[in-house]
């Protein structure tokens, strides 16, 4: 079990970015859950969960991501994952959870307005 984990939150014009850094496992998931509970989202906001610094994520971490999605939904906000590590992307796909989250290559990209092609 790991203790190397931190969260940071920053406001953006489109909502909030929650960065999860380190190893998200059963020993650190309570810290992630607490950070999620403290988020204040409004209708129309977008919560971007920045995973660029995430080194490991087990089932407890996936539960935290689902909790973040639930919080966003209750607030009338949307959620997107940014910089999803390859191993986590594969696990989300195997579990049938990939469609629950929009994904973007970076947190900055997630905040850009959608463009039509």
């Amino acid at each position: 079990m790991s203790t190397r984990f931190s969260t940071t939150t920053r406001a953006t014009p489109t909502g909030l970015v929650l960065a999860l850094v380190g190893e998200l496992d059963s020993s650190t998931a309570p810290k992630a859950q607490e950070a999620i509970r403290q988020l204040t989202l409004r209708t129309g906001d977008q919560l971007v969960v920045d995973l660029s610094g995430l080194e490991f994520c087990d089932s407890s971490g996936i539960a935290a991501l689902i909790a973040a999605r639930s919080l966003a939904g209750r607030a009338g906000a949307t959620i997107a994952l940014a910089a999803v590590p390859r191993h986590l992307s594969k696990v989300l796909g195997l579990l049938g959870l990939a469609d629950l989250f929009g994904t973007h290559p970076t947190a900055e990209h997630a905040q850009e307005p959608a463009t039509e092609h």
Side-chain angles (χ1 to χ4, degrees), residues 9-115:
T9 305
R10 64 182 167 89
T12 70
T14 58
L16 296 174
V17 174
L18 172 65
L20 306 179
V21 177
E23 298 183 7
L24 182 51
D25 58 26
S26 61
S27 67
T28 60
K31 186 173 183 177
Q33 294 277 8
E34 182 58 29
I36 292 164
R37 280 191 292 274
Q38 291 182 14
L39 297 174
T40 302
L41 295 167
R42 297 180 309 264
T43 300
D45 279 353
Q46 176 178 239
L47 171 60
V48 176
V49 182
D50 183 354
L51 304 174
S52 61
L54 195 67
E55 299 168 11
F56 176 80
C57 183
D58 70 5
S59 61
S60 301
I62 291 171
L65 294 176
I66 292 170
R69 182 181 184 276
S70 295
L71 174 80
R74 287 191 306 273
T78 60
I79 187 170
L81 303 180
V84 181
R86 182 181 167 111
H87 65 275
L88 180 55
S89 180
K90 184 175 182 178
V91 170
L92 291 172
L94 290 171
L95 294 173
L97 301 175
D99 292 340
L100 291 181
F101 303 96
T103 59
H104 299 275
T106 66
E108 291 73 24
H109 185 266
Q111 297 167 52
E112 295 174 2
T115 58

